[in-house]
PDB file of all heavy atoms in Angstrom:
ATOM      1  N   GLY A 389       1.602   9.649   9.052  1.00  0.00           N
ATOM      2  CA  GLY A 389       1.274   9.469  10.455  1.00  0.00           C
ATOM      3  C   GLY A 389       1.622   8.087  10.944  1.00  0.00           C
ATOM      4  O   GLY A 389       1.180   7.759  12.102  1.00  0.00           O
ATOM      5  N   GLY A 390       2.299   7.233  10.277  1.00  0.00           N
ATOM      6  CA  GLY A 390       2.647   5.956  10.731  1.00  0.00           C
ATOM      7  C   GLY A 390       1.376   5.065  10.976  1.00  0.00           C
ATOM      8  O   GLY A 390       1.308   4.422  12.025  1.00  0.00           O
ATOM      9  N   ILE A 391       0.424   5.167  10.157  1.00  0.00           N
ATOM     10  CA  ILE A 391      -0.838   4.451  10.328  1.00  0.00           C
ATOM     11  C   ILE A 391      -0.839   2.989   9.864  1.00  0.00           C
ATOM     12  O   ILE A 391      -1.826   2.447   9.561  1.00  0.00           O
ATOM     13  CB  ILE A 391      -1.974   5.204   9.686  1.00  0.00           C
ATOM     14  CG1 ILE A 391      -1.730   5.399   8.140  1.00  0.00           C
ATOM     15  CG2 ILE A 391      -2.229   6.566  10.416  1.00  0.00           C
ATOM     16  CD1 ILE A 391      -2.957   5.922   7.463  1.00  0.00           C
ATOM     17  N   ASN A 392       0.387   2.459   9.750  1.00  0.00           N
ATOM     18  CA  ASN A 392       0.506   1.107   9.247  1.00  0.00           C
ATOM     19  C   ASN A 392      -0.346   0.081  10.027  1.00  0.00           C
ATOM     20  O   ASN A 392      -0.946  -0.827   9.421  1.00  0.00           O
ATOM     21  CB  ASN A 392       2.013   0.647   9.252  1.00  0.00           C
ATOM     22  CG  ASN A 392       2.851   1.558   8.402  1.00  0.00           C
ATOM     23  OD1 ASN A 392       2.998   2.678   8.749  1.00  0.00           O
ATOM     24  ND2 ASN A 392       3.398   1.056   7.345  1.00  0.00           N
ATOM     25  N   GLY A 393      -0.357   0.198  11.300  1.00  0.00           N
ATOM     26  CA  GLY A 393      -1.212  -0.740  12.147  1.00  0.00           C
ATOM     27  C   GLY A 393      -2.664  -0.600  11.757  1.00  0.00           C
ATOM     28  O   GLY A 393      -3.383  -1.704  11.714  1.00  0.00           O
ATOM     29  N   GLN A 394      -3.186   0.575  11.613  1.00  0.00           N
ATOM     30  CA  GLN A 394      -4.590   0.734  11.218  1.00  0.00           C
ATOM     31  C   GLN A 394      -4.859   0.197   9.870  1.00  0.00           C
ATOM     32  O   GLN A 394      -5.935  -0.349   9.635  1.00  0.00           O
ATOM     33  CB  GLN A 394      -4.957   2.220  11.327  1.00  0.00           C
ATOM     34  CG  GLN A 394      -5.053   2.763  12.744  1.00  0.00           C
ATOM     35  CD  GLN A 394      -3.753   3.453  13.172  1.00  0.00           C
ATOM     36  OE1 GLN A 394      -2.706   3.301  12.578  1.00  0.00           O
ATOM     37  NE2 GLN A 394      -3.841   4.247  14.212  1.00  0.00           N
ATOM     38  N   VAL A 395      -3.886   0.417   8.929  1.00  0.00           N
ATOM     39  CA  VAL A 395      -4.086  -0.077   7.544  1.00  0.00           C
ATOM     40  C   VAL A 395      -4.117  -1.588   7.542  1.00  0.00           C
ATOM     41  O   VAL A 395      -4.871  -2.232   6.930  1.00  0.00           O
ATOM     42  CB  VAL A 395      -3.066   0.452   6.615  1.00  0.00           C
ATOM     43  CG1 VAL A 395      -3.141  -0.159   5.219  1.00  0.00           C
ATOM     44  CG2 VAL A 395      -3.259   2.001   6.425  1.00  0.00           C
ATOM     45  N   LEU A 396      -3.238  -2.216   8.393  1.00  0.00           N
ATOM     46  CA  LEU A 396      -3.206  -3.585   8.454  1.00  0.00           C
ATOM     47  C   LEU A 396      -4.428  -4.207   9.084  1.00  0.00           C
ATOM     48  O   LEU A 396      -4.979  -5.201   8.592  1.00  0.00           O
ATOM     49  CB  LEU A 396      -1.978  -4.051   9.329  1.00  0.00           C
ATOM     50  CG  LEU A 396      -1.816  -5.549   9.592  1.00  0.00           C
ATOM     51  CD1 LEU A 396      -1.684  -6.337   8.272  1.00  0.00           C
ATOM     52  CD2 LEU A 396      -0.646  -5.780  10.529  1.00  0.00           C
ATOM     53  N   ALA A 397      -5.028  -3.498  10.063  1.00  0.00           N
ATOM     54  CA  ALA A 397      -6.226  -3.957  10.703  1.00  0.00           C
ATOM     55  C   ALA A 397      -7.446  -3.773   9.808  1.00  0.00           C
ATOM     56  O   ALA A 397      -8.437  -4.434   9.949  1.00  0.00           O
ATOM     57  CB  ALA A 397      -6.433  -3.238  12.017  1.00  0.00           C
ATOM     58  N   ASP A 398      -7.383  -2.746   8.928  1.00  0.00           N
ATOM     59  CA  ASP A 398      -8.464  -2.378   8.060  1.00  0.00           C
ATOM     60  C   ASP A 398      -7.935  -2.130   6.676  1.00  0.00           C
ATOM     61  O   ASP A 398      -7.877  -0.998   6.259  1.00  0.00           O
ATOM     62  CB  ASP A 398      -9.207  -1.213   8.620  1.00  0.00           C
ATOM     63  CG  ASP A 398     -10.478  -0.801   7.762  1.00  0.00           C
ATOM     64  OD1 ASP A 398     -10.970  -1.666   6.971  1.00  0.00           O
ATOM     65  OD2 ASP A 398     -10.860   0.356   7.919  1.00  0.00           O
ATOM     66  N   LYS A 399      -7.654  -3.148   5.955  1.00  0.00           N
ATOM     67  CA  LYS A 399      -7.005  -2.994   4.613  1.00  0.00           C
ATOM     68  C   LYS A 399      -7.924  -2.270   3.600  1.00  0.00           C
ATOM     69  O   LYS A 399      -7.478  -1.641   2.737  1.00  0.00           O
ATOM     70  CB  LYS A 399      -6.538  -4.357   4.047  1.00  0.00           C
ATOM     71  CG  LYS A 399      -5.426  -4.986   4.909  1.00  0.00           C
ATOM     72  CD  LYS A 399      -5.140  -6.372   4.345  1.00  0.00           C
ATOM     73  CE  LYS A 399      -4.103  -7.038   5.314  1.00  0.00           C
ATOM     74  NZ  LYS A 399      -3.924  -8.463   4.859  1.00  0.00           N
ATOM     75  N   ALA A 400      -9.186  -2.438   3.851  1.00  0.00           N
ATOM     76  CA  ALA A 400     -10.204  -1.839   2.950  1.00  0.00           C
ATOM     77  C   ALA A 400     -10.133  -0.336   2.965  1.00  0.00           C
ATOM     78  O   ALA A 400     -10.610   0.316   2.056  1.00  0.00           O
ATOM     79  CB  ALA A 400     -11.619  -2.306   3.319  1.00  0.00           C
ATOM     80  N   VAL A 401      -9.403   0.240   3.863  1.00  0.00           N
ATOM     81  CA  VAL A 401      -9.299   1.695   3.921  1.00  0.00           C
ATOM     82  C   VAL A 401      -8.581   2.202   2.538  1.00  0.00           C
ATOM     83  O   VAL A 401      -8.929   3.278   2.058  1.00  0.00           O
ATOM     84  CB  VAL A 401      -8.508   2.204   5.100  1.00  0.00           C
ATOM     85  CG1 VAL A 401      -7.063   1.835   5.086  1.00  0.00           C
ATOM     86  CG2 VAL A 401      -8.637   3.702   5.239  1.00  0.00           C
TER      87      VAL A 401
END
Side-chain angles (χ1 to χ4, degrees):
I391 59 170
N392 301 67
Q394 289 94 342
V395 173
L396 178 59
D398 180 21
K399 294 175 186 175
V401 69

